[in-house]
Coordinates of all heavy atoms in Angstrom, one line a residue:
N159 N 0.8 -1.2 0.0 CA 0.0 0.0 0.0 C 0.9 1.2 0.0 O 1.9 1.3 0.7 CB -0.9 0.0 1.2 CG -2.1 -0.8 1.0 OD1 -2.4 -1.3 0.0 ND2 -2.8 -1.0 2.1
Q160 N 0.4 2.3 -0.7 CA 1.2 3.5 -0.8 C 0.2 4.6 -0.4 O -0.9 4.7 -0.8 CB 1.7 3.8 -2.2 CG 2.6 2.6 -2.7 CD 2.9 2.7 -4.1 OE1 2.3 3.3 -5.0 NE2 4.0 2.0 -4.5
H161 N 0.6 5.5 0.5 CA -0.2 6.4 1.1 C -0.2 7.8 0.3 O 0.8 8.3 0.1 CB 0.2 6.8 2.6 CG -0.2 5.7 3.5 ND1 0.5 4.6 3.6 CD2 -1.3 5.7 4.3 CE1 -0.1 3.8 4.6 NE2 -1.2 4.5 5.0
H162 N -1.4 8.2 -0.1 CA -1.5 9.5 -0.7 C -1.9 10.6 0.3 O -1.8 11.8 0.0 CB -2.4 9.5 -1.9 CG -3.8 8.9 -1.7 ND1 -4.8 9.7 -1.2 CD2 -4.2 7.7 -1.9 CE1 -5.9 8.9 -1.1 NE2 -5.5 7.7 -1.5
V163 N -2.2 10.2 1.5 CA -2.3 11.0 2.7 C -1.2 10.5 3.6 O -1.3 9.5 4.2 CB -3.7 11.0 3.3 CG1 -3.7 11.9 4.6 CG2 -4.8 11.4 2.3
W164 N -0.2 11.3 3.8 CA 1.0 10.9 4.5 C 0.7 10.5 6.0 O 0.0 11.2 6.7 CB 2.1 11.9 4.5 CG 2.7 12.1 3.1 CD1 2.6 11.3 2.0 CD2 3.4 13.3 2.6 NE1 3.2 11.8 0.9 CE2 3.7 13.1 1.3 CE3 3.8 14.4 3.3 CZ2 4.4 14.0 0.6 CZ3 4.5 15.4 2.5 CH2 4.8 15.1 1.2
Q165 N 1.1 9.3 6.4 CA 0.9 8.9 7.7 C 1.5 9.9 8.8 O 0.9 10.1 9.8 CB 1.5 7.5 8.0 CG 0.7 6.4 7.3 CD 1.2 5.1 7.8 OE1 0.8 4.6 8.8 NE2 2.0 4.4 7.0
F166 N 2.6 10.5 8.6 CA 3.2 11.4 9.5 C 2.3 12.6 9.8 O 2.2 13.1 10.9 CB 4.6 11.8 9.3 CG 4.9 12.9 8.3 CD1 5.0 14.2 8.8 CD2 5.0 12.7 7.0 CE1 5.2 15.3 7.9 CE2 5.2 13.8 6.1 CZ 5.3 15.1 6.6
V167 N 1.6 13.0 8.8 CA 0.6 14.1 8.9 C -0.6 13.6 9.8 O -1.1 14.2 10.7 CB 0.2 14.7 7.6 CG1 -0.9 15.7 7.7 CG2 1.3 15.3 6.9
Q168 N -1.0 12.4 9.4 CA -2.2 11.9 10.1 C -1.9 11.7 11.6 O -2.8 11.9 12.4 CB -2.6 10.5 9.5 CG -3.1 10.6 8.0 CD -3.5 9.2 7.6 OE1 -4.3 8.6 8.1 NE2 -2.8 8.8 6.5
R169 N -0.7 11.2 11.9 CA -0.3 10.9 13.3 C -0.4 12.2 14.1 O -0.7 12.0 15.3 CB 1.1 10.3 13.3 CG 1.1 8.9 12.9 CD 2.5 8.3 13.0 NE 2.7 7.2 12.2 CZ 3.6 7.1 11.2 NH1 4.5 8.1 11.0 NH2 3.7 6.0 10.5
G170 N -0.2 13.3 13.6 CA -0.3 14.6 14.3 C -1.7 14.9 14.8 O -1.9 15.6 15.8
F171 N -2.7 14.2 14.2 CA -4.1 14.4 14.5 C -4.6 13.1 15.2 O -5.8 13.1 15.6 CB -4.9 14.7 13.4 CG -4.6 16.0 12.7 CD1 -3.7 16.0 11.6 CD2 -5.1 17.2 13.1 CE1 -3.3 17.2 11.0 CE2 -4.8 18.4 12.5 CZ -3.9 18.4 11.5
G172 N -3.8 12.1 15.4 CA -4.2 10.9 15.9 C -3.9 10.6 17.4 O -3.3 11.4 18.1
E173 N -4.4 9.4 17.7 CA -4.1 9.0 19.1 C -3.5 7.5 19.0 O -4.0 6.7 18.3 CB -5.5 8.8 19.9 CG -5.4 8.2 21.2 CD -6.8 8.1 21.9 OE1 -7.8 8.2 21.2 OE2 -6.9 7.9 23.1
K174 N -2.5 7.3 19.7 CA -1.8 6.0 19.7 C -2.6 5.0 20.6 O -2.8 5.3 21.8 CB -0.3 6.1 20.1 CG 0.4 4.8 20.0 CD 1.9 5.0 20.0 CE 2.5 3.7 19.6 NZ 3.8 3.7 19.3
L175 N -3.0 4.0 20.0 CA -3.7 2.9 20.7 C -3.1 1.6 20.4 O -3.0 1.2 19.2 CB -5.2 2.9 20.3 CG -6.1 4.1 20.5 CD1 -7.4 4.0 19.8 CD2 -6.2 4.3 22.0
G176 N -2.4 1.0 21.3 CA -1.5 -0.1 21.0 C -0.4 0.3 20.2 O 0.3 1.2 20.5
K177 N -0.1 -0.4 19.1 CA 1.0 -0.1 18.3 C 0.7 0.8 17.1 O 1.5 1.3 16.4 CB 1.6 -1.5 17.7 CG 0.7 -2.2 16.8 CD 1.3 -3.5 16.3 CE 0.4 -4.2 15.3 NZ 1.1 -5.2 14.5
D178 N -0.6 1.1 16.9 CA -1.1 1.9 15.8 C -1.6 3.3 16.2 O -2.1 3.4 17.3 CB -2.1 1.2 14.9 CG -1.6 -0.1 14.3 OD1 -0.5 0.0 13.8 OD2 -2.4 -1.0 14.2
Y179 N -1.5 4.3 15.3 CA -2.2 5.5 15.6 C -3.6 5.4 14.9 O -3.8 4.9 13.8 CB -1.4 6.7 14.9 CG -0.2 7.1 15.7 CD1 0.9 6.4 15.7 CD2 -0.3 8.2 16.6 CE1 2.1 6.8 16.4 CE2 0.7 8.6 17.4 CZ 1.9 7.9 17.3 OH 3.0 8.3 18.0
H180 N -4.6 6.0 15.6 CA -5.9 6.0 15.1 C -6.4 7.5 15.0 O -6.1 8.4 15.7 CB -6.9 5.3 16.1 CG -6.6 3.8 16.1 ND1 -7.4 2.9 15.4 CD2 -5.6 3.1 16.7 CE1 -6.8 1.7 15.6 NE2 -5.8 1.8 16.4
I181 N -7.2 7.7 13.9 CA -7.8 9.0 13.6 C -9.3 8.9 13.4 O -9.8 7.8 13.1 CB -7.1 9.6 12.4 CG1 -7.3 8.7 11.1 CG2 -5.7 9.9 12.6 CD1 -6.9 9.3 9.8
W182 N -10.0 10.0 13.5 CA -11.4 10.0 13.1 C -11.6 10.6 11.8 O -10.9 11.6 11.4 CB -12.2 10.9 14.2 CG -12.3 10.2 15.5 CD1 -11.5 10.3 16.6 CD2 -13.3 9.2 15.8 NE1 -12.0 9.5 17.6 CE2 -13.1 8.8 17.1 CE3 -14.4 8.7 15.1 CZ2 -13.9 7.9 17.8 CZ3 -15.2 7.7 15.7 CH2 -15.0 7.3 17.0
V183 N -12.3 10.0 10.9 CA -12.5 10.4 9.6 C -14.0 10.9 9.5 O -14.9 10.1 9.8 CB -12.3 9.3 8.5 CG1 -12.6 9.7 7.1 CG2 -10.9 8.8 8.7
Y184 N -14.2 12.1 9.1 CA -15.6 12.7 8.9 C -16.0 12.8 7.4 O -15.2 13.3 6.7 CB -15.6 14.0 9.6 CG -15.4 13.9 11.1 CD1 -14.0 13.9 11.6 CD2 -16.4 13.8 12.0 CE1 -13.8 13.9 12.9 CE2 -16.2 13.7 13.3 CZ -14.9 13.7 13.8 OH -14.7 13.6 15.1
D185 N -17.1 12.3 7.1 CA -17.7 12.3 5.7 C -18.6 13.5 5.5 O -19.1 14.1 6.6 CB -18.4 11.0 5.4 CG -17.5 9.9 5.3 OD1 -16.3 10.0 4.9 OD2 -17.9 8.7 5.7
R186 N -18.8 13.9 4.3 CA -19.7 15.0 4.0 C -21.1 14.9 4.5 O -21.7 15.9 4.9 CB -19.8 15.2 2.5 CG -18.6 15.7 1.8 CD -18.8 15.8 0.3 NE -17.6 16.0 -0.4 CZ -17.5 16.2 -1.6 NH1 -18.6 16.2 -2.4 NH2 -16.3 16.3 -2.2
D187 N -21.5 13.6 4.7 CA -22.9 13.5 5.2 C -23.0 13.6 6.7 O -24.1 13.4 7.3 CB -23.5 12.1 4.7 CG -22.7 10.9 5.3 OD1 -21.9 11.1 6.1 OD2 -23.1 9.8 4.9
G188 N -21.9 13.9 7.4 CA -21.9 14.1 8.8 C -21.5 12.8 9.5 O -21.4 12.9 10.8
S189 N -21.4 11.7 8.9 CA -21.1 10.5 9.6 C -19.6 10.5 9.9 O -18.8 11.2 9.2 CB -21.5 9.3 8.8 OG -20.7 9.2 7.5
C190 N -19.1 9.7 10.8 CA -17.7 9.6 11.1 C -17.4 8.2 11.6 O -18.2 7.4 12.0 CB -17.3 10.6 12.2 SG -18.1 10.3 13.8
K191 N -16.1 7.9 11.5 CA -15.6 6.5 11.9 C -14.1 6.7 12.3 O -13.4 7.6 11.9 CB -15.7 5.5 10.7 CG -14.9 5.8 9.6 CD -15.0 4.8 8.5 CE -14.1 5.2 7.3 NZ -14.2 4.2 6.2
R192 N -13.7 5.8 13.2 CA -12.3 5.8 13.6 C -11.6 4.7 12.7 O -12.1 3.6 12.6 CB -12.2 5.4 15.1 CG -10.8 5.5 15.5 CD -10.6 5.5 17.0 NE -11.0 4.1 17.5 CZ -11.0 3.8 18.7 NH1 -10.8 4.7 19.7 NH2 -11.3 2.6 19.0
T193 N -10.4 5.0 12.3 CA -9.6 4.1 11.5 C -8.1 4.3 11.9 O -7.8 5.2 12.6 CB -9.9 4.2 10.0 OG1 -9.2 3.1 9.4 CG2 -9.4 5.5 9.5
S194 N -7.3 3.4 11.5 CA -5.9 3.6 11.7 C -5.2 4.4 10.5 O -5.7 4.3 9.4 CB -5.2 2.2 11.9 OG -5.1 1.5 10.6
T195 N -4.1 5.0 10.9 CA -3.3 5.7 9.8 C -2.8 4.8 8.8 O -2.6 5.2 7.7 CB -2.2 6.6 10.4 OG1 -1.3 5.7 11.1 CG2 -2.8 7.6 11.4
K196 N -2.6 3.5 9.2 CA -2.1 2.5 8.1 C -3.1 2.3 7.0 O -2.8 2.1 5.9 CB -1.8 1.2 8.8 CG -0.6 1.2 9.6 CD -0.3 -0.2 10.2 CE 1.0 -0.3 10.9 NZ 1.3 -1.6 11.4
K197 N -4.4 2.4 7.4 CA -5.5 2.1 6.4 C -5.9 3.3 5.6 O -6.3 3.2 4.5 CB -6.7 1.5 7.2 CG -6.4 0.2 7.8 CD -7.6 -0.4 8.5 CE -7.3 -1.7 9.2 NZ -8.5 -2.1 9.9
Y198 N -6.0 4.5 6.3 CA -6.6 5.6 5.6 C -5.7 6.3 4.6 O -4.5 6.5 4.9 CB -7.0 6.7 6.7 CG -7.7 7.9 6.0 CD1 -9.0 7.7 5.6 CD2 -7.1 9.1 5.8 CE1 -9.7 8.7 4.9 CE2 -7.7 10.1 5.2 CZ -9.1 9.9 4.8 OH -9.7 11.0 4.1
G199 N -6.2 6.6 3.5 CA -5.4 7.3 2.4 C -4.4 6.4 1.8 O -3.4 6.9 1.2
A200 N -4.6 5.1 1.7 CA -3.7 4.2 1.1 C -4.4 3.4 0.1 O -5.5 3.0 0.2 CB -3.1 3.3 2.2
E201 N -3.6 3.2 -1.0 CA -4.1 2.4 -2.1 C -2.9 1.6 -2.7 O -1.8 2.1 -2.6 CB -4.7 3.2 -3.3 CG -6.0 4.0 -2.9 CD -6.5 4.7 -4.1 OE1 -6.4 4.3 -5.3 OE2 -7.0 5.8 -3.8
K202 N -3.2 0.4 -3.1 CA -2.2 -0.4 -3.7 C -1.7 0.2 -5.0 O -2.5 0.7 -5.8 CB -2.7 -1.8 -4.0 CG -2.9 -2.6 -2.8 CD -3.3 -4.1 -3.1 CE -3.3 -4.8 -1.8 NZ -2.9 -6.2 -1.9
F203 N -0.4 0.3 -5.1 CA 0.3 0.8 -6.3 C -0.1 2.2 -6.8 O -0.1 2.5 -7.9 CB 0.1 -0.2 -7.5 CG 0.4 -1.6 -7.1 CD1 -0.7 -2.5 -7.0 CD2 1.7 -2.0 -6.8 CE1 -0.4 -3.8 -6.6 CE2 1.9 -3.4 -6.4 CZ 0.9 -4.2 -6.3
Y204 N -0.5 3.1 -5.8 CA -1.0 4.4 -6.1 C 0.1 5.2 -6.8 O -0.2 6.0 -7.8 CB -1.3 5.1 -4.8 CG -2.0 6.5 -5.1 CD1 -3.3 6.6 -5.4 CD2 -1.3 7.7 -5.0 CE1 -4.0 7.7 -5.6 CE2 -1.9 8.9 -5.2 CZ -3.2 8.9 -5.5 OH -3.8 10.1 -5.8
F205 N 1.4 5.1 -6.5 CA 2.5 5.8 -7.0 C 3.4 5.0 -7.9 O 4.4 5.4 -8.4 CB 3.4 6.5 -6.0 CG 2.7 7.6 -5.2 CD1 2.4 7.4 -3.9 CD2 2.4 8.7 -5.8 CE1 1.8 8.3 -3.2 CE2 1.7 9.7 -5.1 CZ 1.4 9.5 -3.7
S206 N 2.9 3.8 -8.3 CA 3.7 2.9 -9.1 C 3.2 2.8 -10.5 O 2.0 3.0 -10.7 CB 3.7 1.5 -8.4 OG 4.3 1.5 -7.2
D207 N 4.1 2.4 -11.4 CA 3.7 2.2 -12.8 C 4.4 0.9 -13.2 O 5.5 0.8 -13.5 CB 4.2 3.3 -13.7 CG 3.8 3.2 -15.1 OD1 2.9 2.4 -15.4 OD2 4.4 3.8 -16.0
G208 N 3.6 -0.2 -13.0 CA 4.1 -1.5 -13.2 C 5.2 -1.8 -12.1 O 4.9 -1.7 -11.0
E209 N 6.3 -2.2 -12.6 CA 7.5 -2.4 -11.6 C 8.2 -1.1 -11.2 O 9.0 -1.2 -10.3 CB 8.5 -3.4 -12.3 CG 7.8 -4.8 -12.6 CD 7.5 -5.5 -11.3 OE1 8.3 -5.5 -10.4 OE2 6.3 -6.1 -11.3
D210 N 7.9 0.0 -11.8 CA 8.6 1.2 -11.5 C 8.0 1.9 -10.3 O 6.9 2.3 -10.2 CB 8.4 2.2 -12.7 CG 9.2 3.5 -12.5 OD1 9.9 3.6 -11.4 OD2 9.1 4.3 -13.4
R211 N 8.8 1.8 -9.2 CA 8.3 2.3 -7.9 C 9.1 3.5 -7.5 O 9.1 3.9 -6.3 CB 8.4 1.2 -6.8 CG 7.5 0.0 -7.1 CD 7.6 -1.0 -6.0 NE 6.7 -2.1 -6.2 CZ 7.0 -3.2 -6.8 NH1 8.2 -3.4 -7.2 NH2 6.1 -4.2 -7.0
R212 N 9.8 4.2 -8.4 CA 10.7 5.3 -8.0 C 9.9 6.4 -7.4 O 10.4 7.0 -6.4 CB 11.4 5.8 -9.3 CG 12.5 4.9 -9.7 CD 13.2 5.4 -10.9 NE 12.2 5.3 -12.0 CZ 12.4 5.8 -13.3 NH1 13.6 6.4 -13.5 NH2 11.5 5.7 -14.2
A213 N 8.7 6.7 -7.9 CA 8.0 7.9 -7.3 C 7.7 7.6 -5.8 O 7.8 8.4 -4.9 CB 6.7 8.1 -8.0
D214 N 7.2 6.4 -5.5 CA 7.0 6.0 -4.1 C 8.2 6.1 -3.2 O 8.2 6.5 -2.1 CB 6.3 4.6 -4.0 CG 6.0 4.2 -2.6 OD1 5.3 5.0 -2.0 OD2 6.4 3.2 -2.1
E215 N 9.3 5.6 -3.8 CA 10.6 5.6 -3.0 C 11.0 7.0 -2.7 O 11.5 7.3 -1.6 CB 11.7 4.8 -3.8 CG 11.4 3.3 -3.8 CD 12.2 2.6 -4.9 OE1 13.1 3.2 -5.5 OE2 12.1 1.4 -5.0
I216 N 10.9 7.9 -3.7 CA 11.3 9.3 -3.5 C 10.4 10.0 -2.5 O 10.8 10.7 -1.6 CB 11.3 10.1 -4.9 CG1 12.4 9.6 -5.8 CG2 11.3 11.5 -4.6 CD1 12.3 10.1 -7.2
L217 N 9.1 9.7 -2.6 CA 8.2 10.3 -1.6 C 8.4 9.8 -0.2 O 8.2 10.5 0.8 CB 6.7 10.1 -2.1 CG 6.4 11.0 -3.3 CD1 5.0 10.6 -3.9 CD2 6.3 12.5 -2.9
T218 N 8.6 8.5 -0.1 CA 8.8 7.8 1.2 C 10.1 8.5 1.8 O 10.1 8.7 3.0 CB 8.9 6.3 1.0 OG1 7.7 5.8 0.5 CG2 9.2 5.7 2.4
D219 N 11.1 8.6 1.0 CA 12.4 9.2 1.5 C 12.2 10.7 2.0 O 12.6 11.0 3.1 CB 13.5 9.2 0.5 CG 14.8 9.9 0.9 OD1 15.4 9.3 1.9 OD2 15.2 10.8 0.3
F220 N 11.4 11.4 1.3 CA 11.0 12.8 1.7 C 10.2 12.8 3.0 O 10.5 13.5 3.9 CB 10.3 13.5 0.6 CG 9.7 14.8 1.1 CD1 10.5 15.9 1.2 CD2 8.4 15.0 1.4 CE1 10.0 17.1 1.7 CE2 7.9 16.1 1.9 CZ 8.7 17.2 2.0
E221 N 9.2 11.9 3.0 CA 8.4 11.8 4.2 C 9.2 11.5 5.5 O 9.0 12.0 6.5 CB 7.3 10.7 4.0 CG 6.4 10.6 5.2 CD 5.3 9.5 5.0 OE1 5.2 8.9 3.9 OE2 4.6 9.3 6.0
N222 N 10.1 10.6 5.3 CA 11.0 10.2 6.5 C 11.9 11.4 6.9 O 12.0 11.6 8.1 CB 11.8 8.9 6.1 CG 11.0 7.7 6.0 OD1 9.9 7.6 6.6 ND2 11.6 6.8 5.3
R223 N 12.4 12.1 6.0 CA 13.3 13.3 6.3 C 12.4 14.4 6.9 O 12.7 15.0 7.9 CB 14.0 13.8 5.1 CG 15.2 12.9 4.8 CD 16.0 13.4 3.6 NE 15.3 13.2 2.4 CZ 14.9 14.2 1.6 NH1 15.2 15.5 1.8 NH2 14.3 13.9 0.4
A224 N 11.2 14.7 6.3 CA 10.4 15.7 6.8 C 9.7 15.4 8.2 O 9.6 16.3 9.0 CB 9.2 16.0 5.8
Q225 N 9.5 14.2 8.4 CA 9.0 13.8 9.7 C 9.9 14.1 10.8 O 9.5 14.6 11.9 CB 8.7 12.2 9.7 CG 8.1 11.7 11.0 CD 7.6 10.3 10.9 OE1 7.2 9.9 9.9 NE2 7.9 9.6 12.0
S226 N 11.2 13.9 10.7 CA 12.2 14.2 11.7 C 12.1 15.7 12.0 O 12.2 16.1 13.1 CB 13.6 13.8 11.2 OG 13.6 12.4 11.0
V227 N 12.1 16.5 10.9 CA 12.1 18.0 11.1 C 10.9 18.4 11.8 O 10.9 19.2 12.7 CB 12.3 18.7 9.7 CG1 12.1 20.2 9.9 CG2 13.6 18.4 9.1
L228 N 9.7 17.8 11.4 CA 8.5 18.2 12.0 C 8.4 17.8 13.5 O 7.9 18.5 14.3 CB 7.3 17.7 11.2 CG 7.0 18.2 9.8 CD1 6.0 17.5 9.1 CD2 6.7 19.7 10.0
Q229 N 9.0 16.7 13.8 CA 9.0 16.2 15.2 C 9.8 17.2 16.0 O 9.4 17.6 17.2 CB 9.5 14.8 15.3 CG 8.6 13.8 14.7 CD 7.3 13.7 15.4 OE1 7.1 14.0 16.6 NE2 6.2 13.4 14.6
E230 N 10.9 17.7 15.5 CA 11.7 18.6 16.2 C 11.0 19.9 16.4 O 11.0 20.5 17.5 CB 13.1 18.9 15.4 CG 14.0 17.8 15.5 CD 15.3 18.1 14.6 OE1 15.6 19.3 14.4 OE2 15.9 17.1 14.1
I231 N 10.3 20.4 15.4 CA 9.5 21.7 15.5 C 8.4 21.5 16.6 O 8.2 22.4 17.3 CB 8.9 22.0 14.1 CG1 10.0 22.4 13.2 CG2 7.8 23.1 14.3 CD1 9.6 22.6 11.7
K232 N 7.8 20.4 16.6 CA 6.7 20.1 17.5 C 7.2 20.2 19.0 O 6.5 20.6 19.9 CB 6.0 18.7 17.3 CG 5.1 18.7 16.2 CD 4.6 17.4 15.8 CE 3.7 16.8 17.0 NZ 3.1 15.5 16.6
R233 N 8.5 19.9 19.2 CA 9.1 19.9 20.6 C 9.5 21.3 21.0 O 9.8 21.6 22.1 CB 10.3 19.0 20.7 CG 9.8 17.5 20.6 CD 10.9 16.6 21.0 NE 11.9 16.5 19.9 CZ 11.9 15.6 18.9 NH1 10.8 14.7 18.9 NH2 12.8 15.5 18.0
L234 N 9.5 22.3 20.1 CA 9.9 23.6 20.4 C 8.8 24.3 21.3 O 7.7 24.0 21.2 CB 10.1 24.4 19.2 CG 11.3 24.0 18.3 CD1 11.3 24.8 17.0 CD2 12.6 24.2 19.0
P235 N 9.3 25.3 22.1 CA 8.2 26.0 22.9 C 7.4 26.8 21.9 O 7.8 27.2 20.9 CB 9.1 26.9 23.8 CG 10.4 26.9 23.3 CD 10.6 25.7 22.4
S236 N 6.2 27.1 22.4 CA 5.2 27.8 21.5 C 5.8 29.1 21.0 O 6.0 30.0 21.4 CB 3.9 28.1 22.2 OG 3.3 26.9 22.5

């Protein structure tokens, strides 16, 4: 699965329950449901073209680097 809604962004709005982060998803009709960040915003082969996974690898690398910076920012005083 490849996430088009990055998990590190979702985790900022989530709650850790067990080993996973959980978020609430609200639909236009007013309904809501709780799901994990692993499941939300993910589709198989979203950034792949056949065997070519370069786009996903580049975005995953960026996400990992950006996550570290954002975690540091979150720890700063207001």
Side-chain angles (χ1 to χ4, degrees):
N159 278 349
Q160 299 169 345
H161 284 81
H162 50 87
V163 179
W164 295 339
Q165 287 192 78
F166 83 90
V167 172
Q168 295 180 58
R169 287 184 200 119
F171 297 93
E173 174 184 17
K174 188 160 186 172
L175 300 172
K177 64 178 183 168
D178 296 322
Y179 280 84
H180 292 258
I181 56 171
W182 286 95
V183 178
Y184 296 85
D185 291 327
R186 289 182 193 182
D187 65 6
S189 65
C190 63
K191 65 179 178 181
R192 186 170 70 183
T193 188
S194 72
T195 60
K196 285 184 178 180
K197 294 178 183 177
Y198 185 73
E201 293 182 36
K202 289 187 176 213
F203 311 111
Y204 187 80
F205 294 110
S206 298
D207 183 17
E209 295 296 316
D210 184 0
R211 296 185 179 95
R212 285 180 293 178
D214 182 53
E215 291 166 0
I216 291 167
L217 288 169
T218 298
D219 180 59
F220 171 77
E221 180 180 356
N222 291 335
R223 286 184 286 118
Q225 179 174 323
S226 298
V227 172
L228 290 174
Q229 293 300 326
E230 289 177 26
I231 291 170
K232 284 174 65 174
R233 287 191 286 271
L234 292 172
S236 296

